[in-house]
């Protein structure tokens, strides 16, 4: 799992992403229920096998929900926000 701070860059690697940053979104799933969920800004770098975001204000530790071109997945490893 990754350890990050608010404002840090975070690169997410995988498959079947998009090189169009507008087709990608990341939500930090910070706890039980939706009230702790925090969406990150549009990625500043995007490709089909990785993309990069800045950790948003209010993000809490937990898994990430990634949406790429309409397909959604939740990471198996959590991100720890320090």
């Amino acid at each position: 799992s990754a350890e990050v701070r608010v404002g840090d860059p975070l690169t997410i690697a995988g498959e079947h992403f998009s090189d169009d940053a507008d087709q990608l979104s990341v939500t930090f799933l910070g706890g039980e229920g939706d009230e702790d969920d925090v969406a990150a800004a549009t990625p500043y770098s995007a490709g089909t096998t990785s993309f990069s975001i800045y950790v948003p204000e209010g993000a809490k530790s937990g898994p990430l929900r990634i949406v790429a071109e309409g397909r959604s997945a939740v990471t198996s490893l959590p991100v720890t926000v320090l």
Side-chain angles (χ1 to χ4, degrees), residues 15-80:
E15 297 178 349
H16 310 295
F17 295 143
S18 174
D19 55 8
D20 180 356
D22 291 332
Q23 295 296 315
L24 297 165
S25 68
V26 177
T27 303
F28 285 73
L29 304 176
E32 299 296 323
D34 294 339
E35 64 275 356
D36 291 333
D37 296 355
V38 176
T42 301
Y44 65 86
S45 172
T48 58
T49 59
S50 69
F51 64 96
S52 300
I53 60 165
Y54 291 108
V55 178
E57 188 71 39
K60 293 185 168 60
S61 298
L64 304 176
R65 180 175 47 243
I66 300 167
V67 178
E69 296 185 337
R71 296 181 310 271
S72 179
V74 174
T75 60
S76 58
L77 294 174
V79 171
T80 302

